[in-house]
Amino acid sequence: MEPFVYQGTPSRVVFSWGALATLPEEVERLGARRALILATPEQRALADEVARVLGERAAGVHAEAVMHVPVSVARAALDTAAALDADCCVAVGGGSAIGLGKAIALESSLPIVAVPTTYAGSEMTPIYGLTEGRLKRTGRDPRVLPRTVIYDPSLTLSLPAEVTATSGMNAMAHAVEALYAEDANPTVSLMAEKSIRALGVALPAVVRAPDDAAMRSRALYGAWLAGTCLGAVGMALHHKLCHTLGGTFNLPHARTHAAMLPHTAHYNHAAAPAALARVARALGGREAAEAGPLLFALNRALGIPAALAALGMPEQGLDEAADLACRNPYANPRPVEREAIRALLGRAWQGAAPA
Ligand code: NAD
């Protein structure tokens, strides 16, 4: 047995169809009486519904969250929390709403109750991000880890097919990289494998039939496991490349993760054969070399565009992206080789299969 270190996540998770109804008692359990509800403008109606469910414990709704948490948006939300004398935040939505809750918690230490409605996984991590100009700053702080997470799969029924597919593959990326993480451990690896299996079955099913309650539950279960992996162990080449492409070239977060994952998995297959064989087996294959192609086929089945070109990546930016990815690289099973990374990016740009 390899030696390992395992650190559990100290958050409470409530998972059930209709679990939103438990929100008042979960807020009360934290000893909070004035919850500020956070959402994106598109999910304002859901935020209002959450306020209705919370009743007298709702202090107000702030539906101003946007992707990547601009500092000005975080500041306005902090001001609202102070003006309303909030003693906790209920963040309802995807990574954008939860990210805004984290920005508030970072400054004020207000506890967060997260009610995720996508598969991005931010609710299970102590990782925050703040953007100023073109610079995205990320960090880890235990204060930003939501204290309670309410997973109610019924809230994902309205998730459009495109966000379902891409945020599902964003979750898949957390689980895949957890299996070859520098600090991988047996518990997290079990969760990662379960996650890949659940997402691999459920995502095509819910893209075909968005109202399939059993498969919506399974997809969110897979996303919970993946988010737990992301919060527990370090990520590698894939996350570094996606961070670079998102930060420097402004590519969309979840779609970039989805398009890149087959290539980064394939890049690592010979250096981490046991981990990538687990990925392949969880997706119905056998060998490590099949993992990348299986992920590529899954993207296609989900209708996700394969080419970075289609996401707005300029071809003349590929050299710079390769250079940036090789600068301060994350720990990775295979050394991060400039020419191989440039070739990988070229294939991803064209939408070619991993090779
Ligand atoms: P998002 O939160 O921006 O949501 C995408 C869109 O879908 C939004 O318009 C939102 O209102 C809408 N939406 C969400 N749930 C819906 C539902 N059930 N029905 C209808 N519409 C719905 O996107 P995301 O992919 O969840 O999150 C991406 C952001 O999260 C990025 O900023 C990323 O950096 C961050 N993130 C952070 C972590 C972390 O650990 N800190 C992890 C993953 C992602």
Side-chain angles (χ1 to χ4, degrees):
M1 188 80 206
E2 295 285 320
F4 65 87
V5 173
Y6 169 70
Q7 167 90 50
T9 312
S11 57
R12 175 178 164 86
V13 173
V14 179
F15 190 112
S16 74
W17 194 269
L20 181 62
T22 68
L23 182 61
E25 66 192 81
E26 292 302 330
V27 168
E28 187 178 355
R29 182 183 278 272
L30 293 177
R33 326 203 127 262
R34 295 188 59 75
L36 175 62
I37 297 148
L38 303 169
T40 58
E42 299 85 12
Q43 287 186 288
R44 169 94 211 189
L46 176 60
D48 289 339
E49 167 66 8
V50 167
R52 199 193 54 73
V53 169
L54 255 182
E56 59 183 18
R57 286 180 198 272
V61 170
H62 185 76
E64 307 287 340
V66 294
M67 187 86 84
H68 302 316
V69 199
V71 167
S72 57
V73 172
R75 217 167 275 140
L78 257 171
D79 290 346
T80 305
L84 292 172
D85 197 20
D87 58 6
C88 91
C89 290
V90 173
V92 53
S96 297
I98 295 166
L100 185 56
K102 289 177 166 185
I104 293 176
L106 190 63
E107 290 293 322
S108 65
S109 297
L110 287 188
I112 303 170
V113 177
V115 186
T117 66
T118 72
Y119 305 132
S122 177
E123 65 280 357
M124 292 307 298
T125 83
I127 305 165
Y128 64 87
L130 282 163
T131 310
E132 192 148 32
R134 286 181 75 214
L135 265 189
K136 185 167 179 182
R137 175 165 65 90
T138 60
R140 280 181 175 259
D141 193 305
R143 283 176 302 175
V144 310
L145 177 74
R147 296 269 287 278
T148 306
V149 183
I150 297 178
Y151 284 106
D152 180 346
S154 75
L155 302 179
T156 63
L157 290 175
S158 56
L159 200 57
E162 202 266 340
V163 191
T164 295
T166 55
S167 84
M169 291 305 286
N170 184 190
M172 180 76 85
H174 309 327
V176 168
E177 290 229 293
L179 283 167
Y180 54 67
E182 190 184 31
D183 51 353
N185 64 68
T187 305
V188 169
S189 294
L190 283 174
M191 289 179 146
E193 204 172 327
K194 274 272 183 199
S195 169
I196 296 166
R197 206 173 285 279
L199 292 167
V201 170
L203 292 179
V206 290
V207 164
R208 266 194 313 272
D211 292 340
D212 183 331
M215 285 296 163
R216 279 291 186 188
S217 294
R218 195 152 177 204
L220 196 59
Y221 168 68
W224 164 55
L225 293 170
T228 305
C229 294
L230 175 67
V233 297
M235 296 287 113
L237 173 69
H238 173 81
H239 281 74
K240 169 78 180 182
L241 269 174
C242 292
H243 191 85
T244 303
L245 294 169
T248 307
F249 299 96
N250 203 25
L251 300 196
H253 177 87
R255 279 188 276 168
T256 305
H257 271 275
M260 290 302 294
L261 185 60
H263 300 280
T264 50
H266 197 67
Y267 183 87
N268 280 326
H269 81 273
L276 272 304
R278 285 177 89 167
V279 175
R281 282 198 302 271
L283 294 172
R286 285 167 58 95
E287 311 286 339
E290 293 172 77
L294 282 165
L295 290 164
F296 191 77
L298 181 55
N299 272 346
R300 184 170 291 173
L302 296 175
I304 295 174
L308 292 185
L311 306 185
M313 179 69 192
E315 189 173 15
Q316 59 279 23
L318 295 174
D319 281 317
E320 187 188 353
D323 291 340
L324 290 170
C326 296
R327 204 173 292 161
N328 309 319
Y330 294 4
N332 191 62
R334 175 175 164 190
V336 179
E337 299 151 6
R338 166 70 174 71
E339 286 320 303
I341 296 296
R342 176 62 182 80
L344 178 161
L345 283 166
R347 278 190 297 277
W349 187 81
Q350 287 175 359

